Amino acid sequence: MSTIAPATTVKCLAAYRKYLRKPGGSAPGMWIALTIGIWVTGIFGGLPLAWAEVPSPWTPVDVTQEGAQVTVSVWGRKILWQEAPLPQQIFVANTPLLAGPVSLQGATETGALSFDRGGVIPWELTEEKATLLAWGEGEDLVVNVFAQVEYDGLSILDIKLVPPARGQSKLGRLWLEIPLRPEVVRLFHYWPGRWGSAANSGPMPADGLRLPFKPVLWVGWEEGGLAVMAEDPRSWRPKDPQNVLEVIPGQELTLVRLHLLDDPPPRLPTSFRVMLQATPVKPWPKDFHSWHICHGANYGMEKPAANGGESLLDKAAGLGVRTLVFHEHWTPVQNYWRTDRESDLIGLVEACHRRNIALWLYFGYELSTLAPEFAEEADRVLVRSSSGGLVGGYWRQPAQRDYIVCLASPWAEKLLAGIVRAIDRYNIDGVYLDGTIEPFGCANEAHGCGYRTADGSRGETYPILAVRRFMERLYRALESRGKRINAHQSSYCGPATLAFVHSYWDGEHLQGPLSQAKTLQELPLDTFRAEFMGRNFGVPCEFLVYEKPPAWTLEKAMAVTMLHDVRVRPLGVGPMLERIAPIWQAMEAFRVGEAEWYAYWRNEAWLKVNVASVKVSGYRRKVEGKTRWLLVISNLSEEAIQTVAVEVTDPELAAVAGARDAVTGETIEVAGRSLRLPVAPMNMRLVEVW
């Protein structure tokens, strides 16, 4: 249970809690600490003695006030308020995002909307969340804002428009505007996109973006950015439904504009809920290279082959697999938490653990007609479209239909409890969530989703906060057990829910187009950096590849992914794993987790290449005081083998003493600071340089 208390109280409680948990603490000392804690708690309002700690790797929320300025700090980011209802500045590390304050711009019957007075009051603080009360007052309108800033940086802003003291005034239009520094708006991502296309991610167009309502819009650069989110536009009155969200580039600033009101509201007061979240949402994990995930567990794979040869599990272990994912067929009921083969599953888990392999089980976003609860629960928990129909209908064996379930419904509690029971019952090491982090649009009134539009039709709610609460609780449950969460989320990178996974697996929605066209035509590099790299969000990504010859191959995929420090996840214990395993081995031998990564778009001072179609990224570390590089050299031409010259301009490397292909061991020709090697079309080579 979260507590609500002044900052001083929270710090006192935290101090004595840490003492209580200190190994070896004496019982009298613990009782003294507890007594002090109760006394402090009583002084500040009789707080309950139970609370939820901030989970790893985040840090507690902090609030400071200097004069009229209030600063809310979370891991890696700060949000500043000062004498205004909305944030004046947002920092990612030391980088300011805003070119001016977030503001409400509008027109009234007397002219442009203005606020003469404003302020902000720190209201409540726990380790998990800070809340603020803020306001702005003008002659024509009063704005009240209730702001909640959570430990992962999500800011929930409840914006209320109130008539002024002198009476009702006519509000003609109202836009929420976020002016950003142009240099931090190079990339964009929004959701929903469209299956079969990466058009919802990419470089910021010169003429900007004009979009219909989207619940998630992120703009930023390769290391960070800002997400703007809303669950529905029920209070919004845009004039043009195709121009609800705008991004307008400029020389001095890039403006994100939300058309809250293009026409007068029916009455005041009225309110809007908008969410902001600066990214990355958490520290980048140093060990993700060593997870070695393979999507290919099956019942019986621990048993010797029919011809007496090694088992598939032994083969996987020999190839360096450290994590196996067991897809949906581990249970006969789609997305369920029990199986009819419990002894087989427990045996497989034990066999994996003997080989130091973690096993993750599949859970998803659907409710199966084969589930025992379907008849009783379906009407009140399934997603319904604005027309009232069910959504989904996936078909699998044994014969069943699987419909998308809404986590704003009571099913969230059942699913959460079921997953935790499965983890404890079967001793598995993590979960693979298929689509579960996506807040699918839902209009099912039976559990409170949807709303009535102005014309009386039903609109869909995107339950971001309900999915977020589910994911946060699941994350807490698994993190406390030392387990991991991996999400498969084709085309969706909403940080409010993505924050609560350890990694994500993207790209399935592009497999068809990539098998029909040139790779960079369907998946440009800047599109990859916007959605599929993960560093801008703070969550590692893997890329999904279904090899579809002759056009789409694993080699083509790795030519792009490896440049971005992204792995392709092998499917099954077979040829794909055999190709990827030596790459795992080479990267681990170099200890890339201890190295600095220099990406191709920002390493000109370190690495130079002589061919325009070739890109080079590299890992740099020192070994016994000497500098070494592990280079990813990718030929992104579809046609020609390129003889590539890479010059290593690292000032600490006077000359290149030697180089070799880190996978094959082949010696690479070197001269001075340069190395020369052929690279096949749409292929990459991994080269160690010393």
Side-chain angles (χ1 to χ4, degrees), residues 3 23 117 195 281 286 346 410 448 533 535 615 637 653:
T3 61
R117 297 164 296 281
W195 192 270
V281 294
K286 289 287 190 180
I346 291 170
M533 187 171 63
R535 287 180 182 264
K615 305 291 183 187
S637 166
L653 203 63

PDB file of all heavy atoms in Angstrom, residues 3 23 117 195 281 286 346 410 448 533 535 615 637 653:
ATOM      1  N   THR A   3       1.851   5.084   0.753  1.00  0.00           N
ATOM      2  CA  THR A   3       1.523   6.072   1.766  1.00  0.00           C
ATOM      3  C   THR A   3       1.482   7.445   1.151  1.00  0.00           C
ATOM      4  O   THR A   3       2.045   7.697   0.104  1.00  0.00           O
ATOM      5  CB  THR A   3       2.566   6.061   2.889  1.00  0.00           C
ATOM      6  OG1 THR A   3       3.826   6.396   2.313  1.00  0.00           O
ATOM      7  CG2 THR A   3       2.641   4.715   3.558  1.00  0.00           C
ATOM      8  N   PRO A  23      20.948  -6.546   7.748  1.00  0.00           N
ATOM      9  CA  PRO A  23      21.311  -7.859   8.303  1.00  0.00           C
ATOM     10  C   PRO A  23      22.052  -7.714   9.630  1.00  0.00           C
ATOM     11  O   PRO A  23      22.902  -6.831   9.803  1.00  0.00           O
ATOM     12  CB  PRO A  23      22.233  -8.436   7.223  1.00  0.00           C
ATOM     13  CG  PRO A  23      21.888  -7.700   5.973  1.00  0.00           C
ATOM     14  CD  PRO A  23      21.487  -6.329   6.416  1.00  0.00           C
ATOM     15  N   ARG A 117      -1.717  35.395 -13.592  1.00  0.00           N
ATOM     16  CA  ARG A 117      -1.215  34.872 -12.332  1.00  0.00           C
ATOM     17  C   ARG A 117      -1.222  33.354 -12.387  1.00  0.00           C
ATOM     18  O   ARG A 117      -1.999  32.747 -13.118  1.00  0.00           O
ATOM     19  CB  ARG A 117      -2.104  35.349 -11.160  1.00  0.00           C
ATOM     20  CG  ARG A 117      -2.109  36.866 -10.971  1.00  0.00           C
ATOM     21  CD  ARG A 117      -3.243  37.336 -10.093  1.00  0.00           C
ATOM     22  NE  ARG A 117      -4.566  37.080 -10.691  1.00  0.00           N
ATOM     23  CZ  ARG A 117      -5.106  37.842 -11.646  1.00  0.00           C
ATOM     24  NH1 ARG A 117      -4.446  38.881 -12.123  1.00  0.00           N
ATOM     25  NH2 ARG A 117      -6.299  37.571 -12.121  1.00  0.00           N
ATOM     26  N   TRP A 195      -0.585  -2.654 -39.565  1.00  0.00           N
ATOM     27  CA  TRP A 195       0.123  -3.914 -39.779  1.00  0.00           C
ATOM     28  C   TRP A 195       0.664  -3.940 -41.210  1.00  0.00           C
ATOM     29  O   TRP A 195      -0.028  -3.603 -42.154  1.00  0.00           O
ATOM     30  CB  TRP A 195      -0.801  -5.099 -39.539  1.00  0.00           C
ATOM     31  CG  TRP A 195      -0.058  -6.393 -39.462  1.00  0.00           C
ATOM     32  CD1 TRP A 195       0.243  -7.241 -40.488  1.00  0.00           C
ATOM     33  CD2 TRP A 195       0.501  -6.980 -38.288  1.00  0.00           C
ATOM     34  NE1 TRP A 195       0.956  -8.323 -40.036  1.00  0.00           N
ATOM     35  CE2 TRP A 195       1.127  -8.194 -38.678  1.00  0.00           C
ATOM     36  CE3 TRP A 195       0.532  -6.605 -36.948  1.00  0.00           C
ATOM     37  CZ2 TRP A 195       1.777  -9.038 -37.776  1.00  0.00           C
ATOM     38  CZ3 TRP A 195       1.180  -7.445 -36.050  1.00  0.00           C
ATOM     39  CH2 TRP A 195       1.789  -8.644 -36.469  1.00  0.00           C
ATOM     40  N   VAL A 281      13.219   5.641 -19.840  1.00  0.00           N
ATOM     41  CA  VAL A 281      12.470   5.513 -18.593  1.00  0.00           C
ATOM     42  C   VAL A 281      13.278   4.873 -17.473  1.00  0.00           C
ATOM     43  O   VAL A 281      12.860   4.915 -16.312  1.00  0.00           O
ATOM     44  CB  VAL A 281      11.178   4.699 -18.821  1.00  0.00           C
ATOM     45  CG1 VAL A 281      10.223   5.439 -19.728  1.00  0.00           C
ATOM     46  CG2 VAL A 281      11.488   3.309 -19.375  1.00  0.00           C
ATOM     47  N   LYS A 286      23.401  -3.429 -18.507  1.00  0.00           N
ATOM     48  CA  LYS A 286      24.695  -3.769 -19.102  1.00  0.00           C
ATOM     49  C   LYS A 286      24.783  -5.230 -19.520  1.00  0.00           C
ATOM     50  O   LYS A 286      25.640  -5.606 -20.320  1.00  0.00           O
ATOM     51  CB  LYS A 286      25.814  -3.464 -18.101  1.00  0.00           C
ATOM     52  CG  LYS A 286      26.060  -1.977 -17.880  1.00  0.00           C
ATOM     53  CD  LYS A 286      26.760  -1.363 -19.078  1.00  0.00           C
ATOM     54  CE  LYS A 286      27.235   0.048 -18.774  1.00  0.00           C
ATOM     55  NZ  LYS A 286      27.923   0.644 -19.948  1.00  0.00           N
ATOM     56  N   ILE A 346       7.386 -29.398 -15.425  1.00  0.00           N
ATOM     57  CA  ILE A 346       8.310 -29.317 -14.296  1.00  0.00           C
ATOM     58  C   ILE A 346       9.611 -30.035 -14.626  1.00  0.00           C
ATOM     59  O   ILE A 346      10.713 -29.556 -14.306  1.00  0.00           O
ATOM     60  CB  ILE A 346       7.649 -29.895 -13.028  1.00  0.00           C
ATOM     61  CG1 ILE A 346       6.508 -28.965 -12.579  1.00  0.00           C
ATOM     62  CG2 ILE A 346       8.672 -30.074 -11.907  1.00  0.00           C
ATOM     63  CD1 ILE A 346       5.624 -29.549 -11.495  1.00  0.00           C
ATOM     64  N   PRO A 410     -12.178  -6.900 -15.071  1.00  0.00           N
ATOM     65  CA  PRO A 410     -11.771  -7.780 -13.968  1.00  0.00           C
ATOM     66  C   PRO A 410     -10.814  -8.891 -14.380  1.00  0.00           C
ATOM     67  O   PRO A 410     -10.211  -9.528 -13.513  1.00  0.00           O
ATOM     68  CB  PRO A 410     -13.113  -8.353 -13.478  1.00  0.00           C
ATOM     69  CG  PRO A 410     -14.137  -7.355 -13.878  1.00  0.00           C
ATOM     70  CD  PRO A 410     -13.649  -6.798 -15.185  1.00  0.00           C
ATOM     71  N   GLY A 448     -16.632  -0.421 -18.198  1.00  0.00           N
ATOM     72  CA  GLY A 448     -16.349   1.001 -18.092  1.00  0.00           C
ATOM     73  C   GLY A 448     -15.547   1.604 -19.220  1.00  0.00           C
ATOM     74  O   GLY A 448     -15.167   2.781 -19.145  1.00  0.00           O
ATOM     75  N   MET A 533      15.345   0.067 -31.720  1.00  0.00           N
ATOM     76  CA  MET A 533      16.652   0.060 -31.075  1.00  0.00           C
ATOM     77  C   MET A 533      16.541  -0.004 -29.561  1.00  0.00           C
ATOM     78  O   MET A 533      17.342  -0.647 -28.894  1.00  0.00           O
ATOM     79  CB  MET A 533      17.436   1.297 -31.505  1.00  0.00           C
ATOM     80  CG  MET A 533      18.863   1.329 -31.028  1.00  0.00           C
ATOM     81  SD  MET A 533      19.808   2.661 -31.782  1.00  0.00           S
ATOM     82  CE  MET A 533      18.927   4.094 -31.166  1.00  0.00           C
ATOM     83  N   ARG A 535      17.186   2.101 -27.136  1.00  0.00           N
ATOM     84  CA  ARG A 535      17.958   2.997 -26.270  1.00  0.00           C
ATOM     85  C   ARG A 535      17.208   4.297 -25.997  1.00  0.00           C
ATOM     86  O   ARG A 535      17.365   4.896 -24.938  1.00  0.00           O
ATOM     87  CB  ARG A 535      19.326   3.282 -26.885  1.00  0.00           C
ATOM     88  CG  ARG A 535      20.256   2.097 -26.783  1.00  0.00           C
ATOM     89  CD  ARG A 535      21.612   2.349 -27.374  1.00  0.00           C
ATOM     90  NE  ARG A 535      22.435   1.163 -27.276  1.00  0.00           N
ATOM     91  CZ  ARG A 535      23.316   0.922 -26.307  1.00  0.00           C
ATOM     92  NH1 ARG A 535      23.486   1.809 -25.336  1.00  0.00           N
ATOM     93  NH2 ARG A 535      24.025  -0.190 -26.294  1.00  0.00           N
ATOM     94  N   LYS A 615      28.149   1.194 -43.360  1.00  0.00           N
ATOM     95  CA  LYS A 615      28.093   1.849 -42.052  1.00  0.00           C
ATOM     96  C   LYS A 615      28.881   1.002 -41.057  1.00  0.00           C
ATOM     97  O   LYS A 615      28.926  -0.239 -41.163  1.00  0.00           O
ATOM     98  CB  LYS A 615      26.655   2.002 -41.553  1.00  0.00           C
ATOM     99  CG  LYS A 615      25.717   2.731 -42.515  1.00  0.00           C
ATOM    100  CD  LYS A 615      26.053   4.189 -42.636  1.00  0.00           C
ATOM    101  CE  LYS A 615      25.066   4.902 -43.543  1.00  0.00           C
ATOM    102  NZ  LYS A 615      25.476   6.300 -43.811  1.00  0.00           N
ATOM    103  N   SER A 637      24.229  -2.026 -49.331  1.00  0.00           N
ATOM    104  CA  SER A 637      23.874  -2.105 -50.745  1.00  0.00           C
ATOM    105  C   SER A 637      23.244  -3.465 -51.025  1.00  0.00           C
ATOM    106  O   SER A 637      23.708  -4.493 -50.511  1.00  0.00           O
ATOM    107  CB  SER A 637      25.116  -1.926 -51.618  1.00  0.00           C
ATOM    108  OG  SER A 637      24.851  -2.320 -52.945  1.00  0.00           O
ATOM    109  N   LEU A 653      44.933   4.949 -30.297  1.00  0.00           N
ATOM    110  CA  LEU A 653      45.408   3.826 -31.093  1.00  0.00           C
ATOM    111  C   LEU A 653      46.299   4.391 -32.194  1.00  0.00           C
ATOM    112  O   LEU A 653      45.826   4.852 -33.228  1.00  0.00           O
ATOM    113  CB  LEU A 653      44.219   3.078 -31.691  1.00  0.00           C
ATOM    114  CG  LEU A 653      44.417   1.615 -32.092  1.00  0.00           C
ATOM    115  CD1 LEU A 653      44.737   0.773 -30.859  1.00  0.00           C
ATOM    116  CD2 LEU A 653      43.167   1.079 -32.761  1.00  0.00           C
TER     117      LEU A 653
END
